[in-house]
Amino acid sequence: MPGDPYDTPAMRQFTAFKREHPGCVLFFRMGDFYELFGDDAVMVSKALGLTLTERTKGMPMAGVPYHQLETYLRRAIDRGFRVAVADQVQDPREAKGVVERAVTRVVTPGTLVDESLLDSSEACAVAAISLEEQTADAAIADLSTGAVELRSGTPEEVADALSARGVRELIHGGDDDAVPRLRSLLAPDATALTAGDPTAFDARRAPELVMKRYGVQTLDGFGLDASDPVLGPLAALLEYLARTQAVDAAPLDDAPTSGSEFATQRRTLAHLRPPTRASEEGLCVLDAVSRRALEVERVIRAEPGTGAMEGALLGIFLEPRDGSGSVVRTPMGRRLLRARLLAPLADVDAIRGRQDEVAVMLEDTRLAAAVGGHLGGIQDVERIAGRIALGRATPRDLVALARSCEAAAGLCAEVHGARPLSAIESRLRESLVEAAPLAGSIAALCVDEAPATLRQGGLIRDGVDAELDEARALQRDAGEWLADYQARLDEAHDLPGMKVGFNKVFGYYIELPAAQARRAPDAFTRKQTLKNAERYITPELKTFEEKVSTAEARALARERELFQRLLLEAAGCVRELQSLASAVAALDVSAGLAEKARRRGWVRPEVVDRPVLEIEAGRHPVLDETLGDRFVPNGVSLGGSDAHLSLITGPNMAGKSTFIRQVALLAVLASAGGFVPAERATIGVCDRIFTRVGADDALHRGQSTFMVEMAETAAILNGATPRSLVILDEIGRGTSTLDGLSLAWAIAERLGEPGAPRALFATHYHELTELAERDPASVKNLHVAARVWRDEIVFLHEIKPGAAEGSYGVHVAKLAGIPASVTDRASEILESLRVEHAQLSGQQARTPAPPGSGDQMALFTEFVPHPAVDRLRELKLDALSPLEAFDELRRLLDLAERAE
């Protein structure tokens, strides 16, 4: 309608793009800015702190400078926006009407590929899921690296896999009813939910879509058939990636420099690897609960001013507090170490193979130093390869790629002859067959210090391309050429007043005084008449003028052309670059684990295929790093000829939780192929490591703290095998004493049965310690030593045989700062309760009968109310006469008989 601010050619482009990308805010390139309009401008300006203005009355507008786009994209994604980027793909000087634009990419939480938007140590994945009542199928892709994985199982198992793979965005079929259920399966706010194209999930279309995207005629090579239910999520995921990366858009190889530099690059999904079906066979499974409780990847509650990784197991390798720097030197290595710690091995031979790789790097310090030097020169080859395929590569990416290939060649030469590293060497050598020539081409054409972008050129060396050299020479040497041209004209013509000049209005010219104009050569064409002179142009000068006036544009266009040739050559080597990155990562992790072992005095654990766990003088790997010599080592023995269940008692703050976590973390390190902080260790492979530690609720699922505790314990009891390792801390504390003690006792009994897993059970229920007396072959007691000195508790942090004398809760309360009046009163109450407990218990049995005996559980007698006892407590004996006392005795007897 007339006066509508959106009814202009540019705004019609904007609204069309908005319709094509619902749910996205649109960054719309206009000149030197990316502009936002309407509701997008209002929302984003508030979230990012942009100035909100108006384009015309009634149209809100906000913008960011084009050269700061990546900065604002990162901030927008962090605040939950999905962003479509529309670039100019036509030179405005050539446009007849509105400048042609196109959406060149859609940036979402799970599809980040640019270096500035990613954390090099973390995975960034997107997944698509098909959810049924009892089953789920999912396809997971890390767009930045090309990894594609398929998962099937229960909804809980698949959700756990999504968490472990770093999925930040989950595509579903658009069913609104599924959203609440998906949200209940996922950690709150950890994963963005996006409605995908329902037709892409259609099982009838899925096989065709998958084959189209992978360019194959059959699914047999992927180990899939057309009826596999996982094909629906895989097809939906591939279609989503194609749409967000605009891979079906026509190549824009002739796009001008005024548009996005990435608009000139071909966009494909060629770097996506064939999908692999994930299997837990051969792996030690760490579920999301255990990963979080053990703080493998990040701490649960980070201290202010620290990162989430500081204090976690992964952090001691990547961000050690001593400032020594990461022992793993490449981004690929950091991501691989994360993956290995989150998914350790359960295969003895595979673990020992990794240990051999670490051992050779630990024993040969010269080799380790040489390998470390080469690794330091290798950039993120894996993600650079991804950006090349996706059309997002920068000049610096190419130069970094060449340097990395050169360093990888040196790495290959260094590890030659080291038998444990022969497989890695072979992969490096095979990859370099294709990658090395590419690196040579890049090094020959590109300067050593590449510009961040091609907006101003400066990537290609001088002297390697005649056309580029000519354009650059014209920019630099125009004055010299003009002087030379004048000299040639002077020599050819007897015109002493002739001169060659230039002005911004008329360009280049040859000027003759009016008196000599009659003698102008025929090749001179009159261009301008002045009062006392005539100005001319010649074909040669005009040609020169055209060359000079377009020299900058031609130089930049030629650099882009040469850049494109290098990108095309690199695109043909994506698979080899990915293989190269994989080999480098494996070597980097082995070198890093060896370096950590060298610095901290870690030892190689003996890994065996028996359900045993023996550790001498073990240390918590994180606290050993932060506390050093102040940390008290402790050992443990589970399974084999020893009991497989240890009950650990002792006061709060004494170190029970630290100890059981320490044992689990050493098992994780050993299963990942690393060395461990201990004097000696024998660790039987674990098929799963279960952990129930802490007191968290799950309000997003409607579960209380105690419900979460019971659900996690149920998963342990139902899923643990003799090859598992179980870590339990304070089971049963979230409900009443009777309920909690009953549950803790029954759970401990179950874990003490023959064939149960190796388990450490930390508890304040001292009654449980009597299980060890009944079945010492399966259950034993350990305690954390503490001493009371002058009414003050002293923690010794030593794990010793036997049960603790008490919980020392009042003493710990004093340390926490509870007022003295409160702790003194608590001591009085505690003493009173002890006396009453002793009076009521008498000589009665204090332990429950064995399961199936049918006897009453006398352990709880002191807690059972009895009318005779209540009546007895009310009596005032000093006020009773002998006859009244006799009557009361008869009443008590009557009450006792009736209660039976």
Side-chain angles (χ1 to χ4, degrees):
M1 67 180 189
D4 185 350
Y6 290 90
D7 191 23
T8 67
M11 288 300 97
R12 285 196 287 271
Q13 281 185 333
F14 176 85
T15 54
F17 294 152
K18 285 289 293 179
R19 284 194 301 270
E20 293 170 4
H21 299 280
C24 293
V25 295
L26 182 63
F27 279 64
F28 191 75
R29 180 71 180 269
M30 299 187 79
D32 289 338
F33 283 82
Y34 282 93
E35 303 286 4
L36 299 113
F37 300 103
D39 292 341
D40 288 359
V42 175
M43 291 188 299
V44 177
S45 64
K46 289 180 180 179
L48 305 189
L50 304 178
T51 300
L52 186 65
T53 61
E54 287 189 350
R55 175 176 172 86
T56 58
K57 187 174 182 180
M59 181 189 291
M61 181 177 75
V64 301
Y66 76 95
H67 58 276
Q68 294 183 353
L69 174 64
E70 304 304 318
T71 299
Y72 285 99
L73 280 180
R74 179 58 185 262
R75 293 171 59 187
I77 293 300
D78 289 344
R79 284 158 178 78
F81 291 105
R82 301 173 71 246
V83 181
V85 180
D87 281 304
Q88 295 175 176
V89 294
Q90 180 185 24
D91 190 332
R93 293 171 297 184
E94 299 176 357
K96 295 180 180 179
V98 66
V99 177
E100 184 179 349
R101 294 178 177 87
V103 173
T104 56
R105 56 175 166 154
V106 176
V107 186
T108 70
T111 58
L112 307 180
V113 296
D114 296 299
E115 185 178 18
S116 60
L117 303 179
L118 290 166
D119 185 325
S120 64
S121 302
E122 296 183 357
C124 177
V126 58
I129 189 169
S130 176
L131 189 63
E132 302 296 337
E133 188 63 32
Q134 301 295 330
T135 62
D137 296 281
I140 307 168
D142 187 329
L143 186 64
S144 68
T145 65
V148 180
E149 180 180 301
L150 308 178
R151 298 287 306 207
S152 298
T154 67
E156 291 74 18
E157 290 171 342
V158 172
D160 193 71
L162 300 180
S163 172
R165 298 303 179 272
V167 171
R168 301 185 188 180
E169 183 178 12
L170 184 60
I171 315 303
H172 59 89
D175 182 1
D176 292 339
D177 294 337
V179 172
R181 188 174 175 211
L182 287 172
R183 181 54 64 200
S184 72
L185 288 169
L186 305 168
D189 302 324
T191 307
L193 294 180
T194 301
D197 180 2
T199 63
F201 283 88
D202 190 335
R204 294 166 296 183
R205 295 185 60 217
E208 179 184 351
L209 291 176
V210 171
M211 289 188 288
K212 170 190 171 185
R213 289 300 170 195
Y214 275 105
V216 296
Q217 298 296 318
T218 176
L219 297 172
D220 294 345
F222 300 153
L224 300 171
D225 60 60
S227 63
D228 198 314
V230 82
L231 283 178
L234 177 58
L237 178 62
L238 294 174
E239 291 302 291
Y240 182 75
L241 294 178
R243 187 169 72 254
T244 57
Q245 305 309 304
V247 298
D248 293 325
L252 304 171
D253 296 331
D254 297 324
T257 61
S258 60
S260 165
E261 64 180 300
F262 299 117
T264 67
Q265 298 184 30
R266 293 181 181 273
R267 297 182 290 272
T268 73
L269 295 177
H271 71 302
L272 291 185
R273 301 170 194 177
T276 58
R277 189 180 292 278
S279 169
E280 294 179 352
E281 184 177 355
L283 295 179
C284 170
V285 178
L286 282 175
D287 61 20
V289 172
S290 297
R291 294 194 301 269
R292 183 171 184 269
L294 295 177
E295 297 182 325
V296 175
E297 183 180 11
R298 51 174 48 87
V299 295
I300 297 174
R301 295 177 180 87
E303 298 177 6
T306 66
M309 195 181 294
E310 185 175 338
L313 179 62
L314 183 60
I316 67 172
F317 297 97
L318 308 187
E319 299 177 2
R321 288 191 179 183
D322 60 8
S324 57
S326 173
V327 296
V328 184
R329 293 172 171 83
T330 70
M332 299 88 69
R334 291 192 283 270
R335 293 193 294 273
L336 179 61
L337 178 61
R338 172 190 177 274
R340 287 188 177 183
L341 291 178
L342 293 179
L345 298 174
D347 181 270
V348 173
D349 292 336
I351 294 172
R352 289 175 180 171
R354 288 184 183 177
Q355 288 181 328
D356 290 342
E357 294 175 4
V358 176
V360 72
M361 303 292 285
L362 180 61
E363 295 163 3
D364 191 337
T365 55
R366 186 212 64 80
L367 174 63
V371 166
H374 289 296
L375 287 170
I378 298 179
Q379 303 299 308
D380 201 340
V381 174
E382 188 174 38
R383 283 181 168 167
I384 290 174
R387 288 195 289 273
I388 288 170
L390 291 167
R392 302 293 306 164
T394 68
R396 286 181 180 172
D397 282 338
L398 280 187
V399 173
L401 187 60
R403 290 177 177 169
S404 299
C405 291
E406 182 180 354
L411 200 59
C412 186
E414 288 292 347
V415 301
H416 179 68
R419 180 181 293 180
L421 305 175
S422 58
I424 296 178
E425 180 200 352
S426 177
R427 286 157 58 194
L428 281 172
R429 196 173 301 282
E430 291 174 3
S431 303
L432 286 168
V433 171
E434 298 292 334
L438 168 64
S441 298
I442 296 171
L445 285 176
C446 299
V447 298
D448 294 333
E449 299 297 328
T453 72
L454 268 185
R455 295 187 185 105
Q456 304 300 323
L459 173 64
I460 306 300
R461 298 178 184 274
D462 288 333
V464 298
D465 183 79
E467 184 178 339
L468 177 60
D469 289 344
E470 180 186 13
R472 286 175 172 172
L474 286 171
Q475 295 177 74
R476 290 193 306 260
D477 307 327
E480 183 179 340
W481 187 90
L482 288 175
D484 177 70
Y485 183 59
Q486 170 132 15
R488 288 190 283 115
L489 288 176
D490 289 341
E491 184 178 349
H493 308 288
D494 183 19
L495 297 169
M498 180 174 56
K499 64 179 181 180
V500 179
F502 169 81
N503 67 39
K504 293 183 179 179
V505 177
F506 293 100
Y508 290 94
Y509 58 84
I510 303 169
E511 184 175 293
L512 291 175
Q516 298 181 13
R518 296 188 306 272
R519 299 167 52 199
D522 293 339
F524 285 24
T525 300
R526 183 177 284 105
K527 185 174 185 180
Q528 183 184 14
T529 299
L530 303 178
K531 182 178 180 180
N532 297 313
E534 294 286 346
R535 288 180 174 174
Y536 302 88
I537 190 75
T538 65
E540 184 177 4
L541 186 58
K542 186 171 183 60
T543 300
F544 174 76
E545 180 180 55
E546 292 172 351
K547 286 184 177 180
V548 171
S549 64
T550 61
E552 181 178 359
R554 288 189 294 109
L556 189 53
R558 183 57 178 170
E559 283 206 65
R560 285 182 178 275
E561 184 179 346
L562 295 173
F563 180 53
Q564 290 300 316
R565 290 182 185 178
L566 290 175
L567 288 175
L568 286 173
E569 184 178 354
C573 298
V574 164
R575 288 283 180 261
E576 288 76 15
L577 294 175
Q578 289 175 329
S579 178
L580 176 71
S582 175
V584 167
L587 191 57
D588 192 14
V589 169
S590 296
L593 292 174
E595 178 64 20
K596 178 60 68 175
R598 182 180 297 108
R599 292 182 186 178
R600 302 301 307 171
W602 293 6
V603 301
R604 176 173 180 164
E606 180 185 2
V607 179
V608 297
D609 198 10
R610 306 190 310 275
V612 299
L613 195 151
E614 299 173 0
I615 298 171
E616 292 183 9
R619 310 187 300 277
H620 191 291
V622 177
L623 296 181
D624 182 50
E625 189 96 2
T626 57
L627 299 179
D629 295 338
R630 292 177 294 156
F631 186 83
V632 179
N634 281 295
V636 67
S637 178
L638 295 174
S641 60
D642 212 336
H644 62 265
L645 169 62
S646 288
L647 296 169
I648 308 166
T649 51
N652 283 311
M653 297 290 294
K656 300 190 303 298
S657 296
T658 297
F659 172 67
I660 63 175
R661 282 184 171 99
Q662 167 187 312
V663 172
L665 288 175
L666 296 192
V668 169
L669 277 173
S671 301
F675 287 22
V676 298
E679 289 187 2
R680 187 189 69 82
T682 299
I683 299 177
V685 292
C686 305
D687 59 359
R688 296 187 69 122
I689 297 178
F690 289 100
T691 305
R692 161 86 282 273
V693 176
D696 290 327
D697 55 32
L699 298 181
H700 63 291
R701 300 178 187 170
Q703 296 179 352
S704 67
T705 300
F706 184 66
M707 183 61 180
V708 170
E709 178 182 319
M710 289 297 99
E712 293 174 0
T713 305
I716 294 173
L717 297 178
N718 292 325
T721 73
R723 288 164 55 89
S724 302
L725 174 63
V726 174
I727 305 298
L728 296 175
D729 191 14
E730 302 300 347
I731 294 297
R733 303 299 289 184
T735 185
S736 70
T737 303
L738 284 175
D739 285 347
L741 181 53
S742 300
L743 286 165
W745 189 284
I747 291 166
E749 279 188 338
R750 174 72 175 271
L751 293 174
E753 294 175 354
R758 294 157 288 176
L760 293 171
F761 192 151
T763 182
H764 279 293
Y765 289 131
H766 292 270
E767 293 84 354
L768 299 187
T769 60
E770 297 189 17
L771 283 170
E773 298 176 7
R774 293 172 42 187
D775 188 7
S778 299
V779 185
K780 66 179 178 180
N781 289 322
L782 300 175
H783 73 279
V784 187
R787 295 289 182 268
V788 177
W789 174 255
R790 295 180 179 177
D791 204 34
E792 297 290 333
I793 190 169
V794 179
F795 300 123
L796 303 181
H797 302 295
E798 294 180 10
I799 303 296
K800 293 187 174 182
E805 297 178 359
S807 294
Y808 304 97
V810 175
H811 295 84
V812 174
K814 290 180 180 179
L815 293 179
I818 297 294
S821 60
V822 176
T823 55
D824 290 344
R825 176 59 179 153
S827 297
E828 294 174 1
I829 296 172
L830 178 62
E831 188 60 31
S832 174
L833 291 174
R834 283 174 175 167
V835 171
E836 186 172 330
H837 181 277
Q839 291 175 343
L840 292 173
S841 297
Q843 301 300 316
Q844 294 174 342
R846 299 181 62 248
T847 60
S853 67
D855 294 340
Q856 177 69 27
M857 294 178 66
L859 168 66
F860 307 121
T861 301
E862 63 269 35
F863 300 109
V864 179
H866 195 287
V869 174
D870 293 339
R871 179 67 180 171
L872 183 61
R873 286 174 174 168
E874 294 174 358
L875 291 179
K876 298 180 180 179
L877 295 178
D878 294 338
L880 295 177
S881 67
L883 185 59
E884 290 173 332
F886 181 75
D887 289 338
E888 287 294 342
L889 184 60
R890 291 175 63 87
R891 292 191 189 97
L892 290 172
L893 180 61
D894 184 59
L895 286 172
E897 290 175 349
R898 279 187 290 167
E900 294 177 355

